[in-house]
Amino acid sequence: MRSSILNLLVLTSLVSTIACGSNDDDKSATATVSIKNDFNNAEMAYQPPWTICESYYLGQQFGKLGLGDTSDAKKVAPGLDNVLLVAAWDDASCSPENSLPLASKNEEEIVSGQTRTIALNMANHQGPCPPQGVAPIPEAQYTRILALWPSYNFKPYAERTENTECTGDTTDADAGN
Amino acid sequence: MVMASPRGHDWAVAAATLLALTQQLFLTRRAAAAEETADTVPTRTGPKATSSVEVVVTGARPLTRDTTADTTRVSGRTLQESPRGSTLDALSQESADLYVSAGGVLHGVSDGSTGGVHMRGLGGSPNSQVLVVEDGIPDFQGIFGHPIPDAYAPALIDQALVIKGGDSVLYGTNALGGVIALSSRWRTSNGYELINDVGYGSYATLKESATWLSHWSKTDLSASLQTLSSDGHRPGAGGNLAVGLVGVRYHFTPTVSLTIRDKYTHLHGANPGPASHPYLDHWYNVSRHNALLQFAWTPRGSRLTLSEFANVGEHRLYDGFLSTDHTTGTLLDFETRLHESTILILGAASNQVGGRVEDRIAGTETPVSPICDVAAYNQLTVKPQAPLTLTAGTRELYSSKYGSVLLYKAGARLELLSGLSAHARITRNFRQPTLRELYLPFPTANPNLRPETSVNSDAGIGYVSKYLNAEATVFRTAATDLIRYYGVWPSAEVVNIDHIVINGVQGQLMLKHLGPVTLRISANKQDVGRYTRQNPNAKVNTTLEWNQDFDLSSLTAALSSEWVHGLYMADYHRQPMDDVFFIDATLRYRHFIPERQLTLEPYLYLRNLLDHRYAYVADYPMPGFNAFAGLKIEI
């Protein structure tokens, strides 16, 4: 009887060790992110001259980024989201008439403790103008951009191709968004 | 899932059976020793022993060298007679916590390939977190770190052991989430066996397997050649496979032997592409050798083996990719019984992976540095009290790239009552980065990556009786420093990041010896967290088998099914897929002709009986209803 109890204690202690492992889903965890304007990446076949006027990812604004610039690193809650942008075509002053709502093509992921720079470039963006080799931006992301930066007065999603930058004189914008 | 609707009489039988089981469990304390031999591989000429129910729920009777591990053993015959397309698929049918993404006729390699393996939440597609071991030797491609799923021809497999939760102490790198250990078949009594199995089926699929096993005096010989050709179930999905294996074992004395074995695999096929955007010319061509030289000395109560192995291959792809790779090593393993209740394993291992990669079209070569490691390991198994077994082990590994890594494990097993047992185990495993992850820009590389590690634990209870085998295990997989790709070319990155915990429960139930009927159910439910890509939440495999023995023949009919739930093509529960479900039927007649010592065995597979539309990989539909018929002859 005594040995049976001893045996059970041994097994129980091992099971307890197994069961008492902590769960890793630390709700207070953070990650560190920077955003890079990589539209001038020379490895791509085409370099659209987008200046990033506004940028947003997982609750943080990363601000304006010229071609090749990288933002300051900011703490965010780990998660998964598209990077939301307002970008101006060949216009470092970010005039609203040259600007469009863009988003990263990928849902970008960052996990607890990670430090990451997310690059926005020809391969990793989507936009509202008629397709020229760039994926169309989904309505949900487009609408979020309108809510984040209403001062640009972008058209509603149903009229997204009628934004000035899409329909205006700067027709070469179509090639890049 | 296939369940017969019982009539009133059947309910009475079932109730009586249940009562008998209850009595056996609580009132009697008879040992289930008879069961120790119930699951052994039947002799080839014994038609009365031809039930293919040779899957063992090992919660109560493990066969691994670590008796505290949660394992499932599957006999080679079960694999050979499975209607599933490959050995890994057939194993997945017998153990629900092993998920294998099935393909059509071939799994293939590179883009569009299937055969990805996940066990208890770890794995991959291609898989480098679940290790395949052949005759004690780790088997993975030198550059990409994964096994070749099509390379495991079942003809010469004696048995397979699925070790859940991994065991890097005994097996080293890549045993992060689990181990699939395969052992080759040898004839042990004087004489020979010649087995030929030829079949033809849908999509012009032709399969031929010829196997020779002999044992004369001091020499054993095993040889097998399996070929397969098929047009595939859709354009571009066809291909050819040839697996040849030759092994010679010479016994210098009854306790000293030398084994030489080589397995050659040639695989030619193509990625058919997504059904919505099919490819026509994405071909691949793979040639590999797995060579083994093994010296064994087995004095009374001990076993010493010294193994030299080399796994060498060449992979060519349609896009100009050409790689030659190798995994080579030495393994010294000594097992001895120190005392009636104490078994000690000591071992040393060295391993090297390397290769070269070039672009045949551009004429460029990507430099790759080999990785070498040496390791010493030990395992001590003690039975301090008759019903209790304790196991502990460590492995100290020194890598040329990562320095030293300490791995460990500890487990306990307790025989509570006759046939009833409990087990628990914790083990720390690791996986070294692959050369691809370190050096090759597909789409990016990082030479500063560190190994992944996991601490896996489980606890379970099992019961074995004449009519019932049952097992339930809860498990926890905790992995750190996972190697993950982020972003897309040209700004992609691959880094060590993150810590994940996967909790789950797995169970198996076998009802047997209920007249001619046997039922096996294996189920797994797990929470894989955010890494949901090809890592399903739930899986259930069911096999209902009817076997009738006659004087010199036997007839077996079986229905087997797989249901996979919670399957996604991306992490974070994105790109959900429909559940996988299909039913396969098998009909097999075995007739022994004593005057000729010949066994004839015609068989028929009816796959995806309900012609259900399903896929493991999005836009890569699996075959609809298809049939395959063959004839196996054993001399």
PDB file of all heavy atoms in Angstrom, chain A residues 51-68:
ATOM      1  N   THR A  51       5.673  59.225 -51.935  1.00  0.00           N
ATOM      2  CA  THR A  51       6.042  59.717 -50.608  1.00  0.00           C
ATOM      3  C   THR A  51       4.956  59.263 -49.634  1.00  0.00           C
ATOM      4  O   THR A  51       3.767  59.456 -49.900  1.00  0.00           O
ATOM      5  CB  THR A  51       6.117  61.263 -50.599  1.00  0.00           C
ATOM      6  OG1 THR A  51       7.193  61.692 -51.419  1.00  0.00           O
ATOM      7  CG2 THR A  51       6.328  61.776 -49.177  1.00  0.00           C
ATOM      8  N   ILE A  52       5.361  58.654 -48.558  1.00  0.00           N
ATOM      9  CA  ILE A  52       4.368  58.245 -47.552  1.00  0.00           C
ATOM     10  C   ILE A  52       4.080  59.465 -46.668  1.00  0.00           C
ATOM     11  O   ILE A  52       4.975  59.973 -45.971  1.00  0.00           O
ATOM     12  CB  ILE A  52       4.884  57.056 -46.723  1.00  0.00           C
ATOM     13  CG1 ILE A  52       5.019  55.821 -47.621  1.00  0.00           C
ATOM     14  CG2 ILE A  52       3.951  56.770 -45.546  1.00  0.00           C
ATOM     15  CD1 ILE A  52       5.602  54.592 -46.920  1.00  0.00           C
ATOM     16  N   CYS A  53       2.850  59.930 -46.739  1.00  0.00           N
ATOM     17  CA  CYS A  53       2.471  61.128 -45.986  1.00  0.00           C
ATOM     18  C   CYS A  53       2.000  60.780 -44.576  1.00  0.00           C
ATOM     19  O   CYS A  53       2.268  61.503 -43.619  1.00  0.00           O
ATOM     20  CB  CYS A  53       1.352  61.861 -46.723  1.00  0.00           C
ATOM     21  SG  CYS A  53       1.733  62.167 -48.458  1.00  0.00           S
ATOM     22  N   GLU A  54       1.274  59.679 -44.464  1.00  0.00           N
ATOM     23  CA  GLU A  54       0.774  59.211 -43.176  1.00  0.00           C
ATOM     24  C   GLU A  54       0.960  57.691 -43.143  1.00  0.00           C
ATOM     25  O   GLU A  54       0.825  57.028 -44.174  1.00  0.00           O
ATOM     26  CB  GLU A  54      -0.729  59.511 -43.000  1.00  0.00           C
ATOM     27  CG  GLU A  54      -1.161  60.910 -43.381  1.00  0.00           C
ATOM     28  CD  GLU A  54      -0.832  61.937 -42.305  1.00  0.00           C
ATOM     29  OE1 GLU A  54      -0.336  61.529 -41.231  1.00  0.00           O
ATOM     30  OE2 GLU A  54      -1.034  63.140 -42.557  1.00  0.00           O
ATOM     31  N   SER A  55       1.212  57.179 -41.970  1.00  0.00           N
ATOM     32  CA  SER A  55       1.338  55.715 -41.859  1.00  0.00           C
ATOM     33  C   SER A  55       0.843  55.266 -40.488  1.00  0.00           C
ATOM     34  O   SER A  55       1.025  55.976 -39.484  1.00  0.00           O
ATOM     35  CB  SER A  55       2.793  55.284 -42.075  1.00  0.00           C
ATOM     36  OG  SER A  55       3.677  56.033 -41.276  1.00  0.00           O
ATOM     37  N   TYR A  56       0.251  54.083 -40.487  1.00  0.00           N
ATOM     38  CA  TYR A  56      -0.417  53.603 -39.269  1.00  0.00           C
ATOM     39  C   TYR A  56      -0.327  52.074 -39.229  1.00  0.00           C
ATOM     40  O   TYR A  56      -0.517  51.401 -40.244  1.00  0.00           O
ATOM     41  CB  TYR A  56      -1.882  54.032 -39.316  1.00  0.00           C
ATOM     42  CG  TYR A  56      -2.755  53.479 -38.213  1.00  0.00           C
ATOM     43  CD1 TYR A  56      -2.974  54.194 -37.046  1.00  0.00           C
ATOM     44  CD2 TYR A  56      -3.385  52.246 -38.352  1.00  0.00           C
ATOM     45  CE1 TYR A  56      -3.797  53.700 -36.040  1.00  0.00           C
ATOM     46  CE2 TYR A  56      -4.196  51.734 -37.358  1.00  0.00           C
ATOM     47  CZ  TYR A  56      -4.394  52.459 -36.197  1.00  0.00           C
ATOM     48  OH  TYR A  56      -5.201  51.966 -35.214  1.00  0.00           O
ATOM     49  N   TYR A  57      -0.020  51.560 -38.041  1.00  0.00           N
ATOM     50  CA  TYR A  57       0.035  50.090 -37.896  1.00  0.00           C
ATOM     51  C   TYR A  57      -0.248  49.723 -36.448  1.00  0.00           C
ATOM     52  O   TYR A  57       0.405  50.246 -35.535  1.00  0.00           O
ATOM     53  CB  TYR A  57       1.417  49.567 -38.313  1.00  0.00           C
ATOM     54  CG  TYR A  57       1.603  48.077 -38.159  1.00  0.00           C
ATOM     55  CD1 TYR A  57       0.840  47.174 -38.909  1.00  0.00           C
ATOM     56  CD2 TYR A  57       2.536  47.570 -37.282  1.00  0.00           C
ATOM     57  CE1 TYR A  57       1.018  45.805 -38.775  1.00  0.00           C
ATOM     58  CE2 TYR A  57       2.729  46.198 -37.130  1.00  0.00           C
ATOM     59  CZ  TYR A  57       1.957  45.326 -37.886  1.00  0.00           C
ATOM     60  OH  TYR A  57       2.137  43.980 -37.750  1.00  0.00           O
ATOM     61  N   LEU A  58      -1.205  48.899 -36.240  1.00  0.00           N
ATOM     62  CA  LEU A  58      -1.557  48.370 -34.920  1.00  0.00           C
ATOM     63  C   LEU A  58      -1.658  49.466 -33.857  1.00  0.00           C
ATOM     64  O   LEU A  58      -1.081  49.379 -32.774  1.00  0.00           O
ATOM     65  CB  LEU A  58      -0.549  47.297 -34.484  1.00  0.00           C
ATOM     66  CG  LEU A  58      -0.643  45.954 -35.223  1.00  0.00           C
ATOM     67  CD1 LEU A  58       0.491  45.020 -34.786  1.00  0.00           C
ATOM     68  CD2 LEU A  58      -1.991  45.277 -34.972  1.00  0.00           C
ATOM     69  N   GLY A  59      -2.408  50.519 -34.214  1.00  0.00           N
ATOM     70  CA  GLY A  59      -2.722  51.542 -33.221  1.00  0.00           C
ATOM     71  C   GLY A  59      -1.706  52.649 -33.101  1.00  0.00           C
ATOM     72  O   GLY A  59      -1.886  53.556 -32.283  1.00  0.00           O
ATOM     73  N   GLN A  60      -0.639  52.608 -33.885  1.00  0.00           N
ATOM     74  CA  GLN A  60       0.385  53.642 -33.788  1.00  0.00           C
ATOM     75  C   GLN A  60       0.522  54.373 -35.121  1.00  0.00           C
ATOM     76  O   GLN A  60       0.495  53.773 -36.192  1.00  0.00           O
ATOM     77  CB  GLN A  60       1.743  53.017 -33.426  1.00  0.00           C
ATOM     78  CG  GLN A  60       1.867  52.540 -32.000  1.00  0.00           C
ATOM     79  CD  GLN A  60       2.111  53.690 -31.020  1.00  0.00           C
ATOM     80  OE1 GLN A  60       2.064  54.866 -31.379  1.00  0.00           O
ATOM     81  NE2 GLN A  60       2.353  53.340 -29.764  1.00  0.00           N
ATOM     82  N   GLN A  61       0.697  55.699 -35.038  1.00  0.00           N
ATOM     83  CA  GLN A  61       0.991  56.502 -36.227  1.00  0.00           C
ATOM     84  C   GLN A  61       2.509  56.619 -36.361  1.00  0.00           C
ATOM     85  O   GLN A  61       3.217  56.883 -35.385  1.00  0.00           O
ATOM     86  CB  GLN A  61       0.385  57.908 -36.054  1.00  0.00           C
ATOM     87  CG  GLN A  61      -1.116  57.904 -35.837  1.00  0.00           C
ATOM     88  CD  GLN A  61      -1.888  58.417 -37.033  1.00  0.00           C
ATOM     89  OE1 GLN A  61      -1.322  58.612 -38.117  1.00  0.00           O
ATOM     90  NE2 GLN A  61      -3.185  58.626 -36.857  1.00  0.00           N
ATOM     91  N   PHE A  62       2.988  56.398 -37.566  1.00  0.00           N
ATOM     92  CA  PHE A  62       4.441  56.446 -37.800  1.00  0.00           C
ATOM     93  C   PHE A  62       4.863  57.662 -38.624  1.00  0.00           C
ATOM     94  O   PHE A  62       6.047  57.860 -38.886  1.00  0.00           O
ATOM     95  CB  PHE A  62       4.904  55.149 -38.481  1.00  0.00           C
ATOM     96  CG  PHE A  62       4.811  53.952 -37.578  1.00  0.00           C
ATOM     97  CD1 PHE A  62       3.606  53.277 -37.412  1.00  0.00           C
ATOM     98  CD2 PHE A  62       5.903  53.521 -36.861  1.00  0.00           C
ATOM     99  CE1 PHE A  62       3.510  52.182 -36.565  1.00  0.00           C
ATOM    100  CE2 PHE A  62       5.826  52.425 -36.011  1.00  0.00           C
ATOM    101  CZ  PHE A  62       4.613  51.765 -35.858  1.00  0.00           C
ATOM    102  N   GLY A  63       3.875  58.446 -39.100  1.00  0.00           N
ATOM    103  CA  GLY A  63       4.179  59.734 -39.713  1.00  0.00           C
ATOM    104  C   GLY A  63       4.625  59.670 -41.148  1.00  0.00           C
ATOM    105  O   GLY A  63       4.431  58.685 -41.857  1.00  0.00           O
ATOM    106  N   LYS A  64       5.271  60.764 -41.560  1.00  0.00           N
ATOM    107  CA  LYS A  64       5.648  60.958 -42.962  1.00  0.00           C
ATOM    108  C   LYS A  64       7.020  60.343 -43.240  1.00  0.00           C
ATOM    109  O   LYS A  64       7.937  60.466 -42.429  1.00  0.00           O
ATOM    110  CB  LYS A  64       5.676  62.460 -43.255  1.00  0.00           C
ATOM    111  CG  LYS A  64       6.002  62.821 -44.682  1.00  0.00           C
ATOM    112  CD  LYS A  64       5.917  64.328 -44.870  1.00  0.00           C
ATOM    113  CE  LYS A  64       6.334  64.724 -46.279  1.00  0.00           C
ATOM    114  NZ  LYS A  64       6.245  66.180 -46.487  1.00  0.00           N
ATOM    115  N   LEU A  65       7.136  59.731 -44.417  1.00  0.00           N
ATOM    116  CA  LEU A  65       8.393  59.056 -44.781  1.00  0.00           C
ATOM    117  C   LEU A  65       8.704  59.315 -46.250  1.00  0.00           C
ATOM    118  O   LEU A  65       7.942  58.922 -47.139  1.00  0.00           O
ATOM    119  CB  LEU A  65       8.288  57.550 -44.555  1.00  0.00           C
ATOM    120  CG  LEU A  65       7.998  57.072 -43.128  1.00  0.00           C
ATOM    121  CD1 LEU A  65       7.626  55.600 -43.125  1.00  0.00           C
ATOM    122  CD2 LEU A  65       9.223  57.304 -42.269  1.00  0.00           C
ATOM    123  N   GLY A  66       9.817  59.954 -46.490  1.00  0.00           N
ATOM    124  CA  GLY A  66      10.246  60.133 -47.870  1.00  0.00           C
ATOM    125  C   GLY A  66      10.811  58.843 -48.428  1.00  0.00           C
ATOM    126  O   GLY A  66      11.012  57.853 -47.701  1.00  0.00           O
ATOM    127  N   LEU A  67      11.076  58.833 -49.716  1.00  0.00           N
ATOM    128  CA  LEU A  67      11.604  57.629 -50.355  1.00  0.00           C
ATOM    129  C   LEU A  67      12.885  57.163 -49.672  1.00  0.00           C
ATOM    130  O   LEU A  67      13.820  57.942 -49.478  1.00  0.00           O
ATOM    131  CB  LEU A  67      11.882  57.902 -51.833  1.00  0.00           C
ATOM    132  CG  LEU A  67      10.642  57.969 -52.731  1.00  0.00           C
ATOM    133  CD1 LEU A  67      10.990  58.566 -54.078  1.00  0.00           C
ATOM    134  CD2 LEU A  67      10.034  56.581 -52.897  1.00  0.00           C
ATOM    135  N   GLY A  68      12.903  55.929 -49.251  1.00  0.00           N
ATOM    136  CA  GLY A  68      14.085  55.354 -48.603  1.00  0.00           C
ATOM    137  C   GLY A  68      14.147  55.589 -47.104  1.00  0.00           C
ATOM    138  O   GLY A  68      15.019  55.033 -46.434  1.00  0.00           O
TER     139      GLY A  68
END
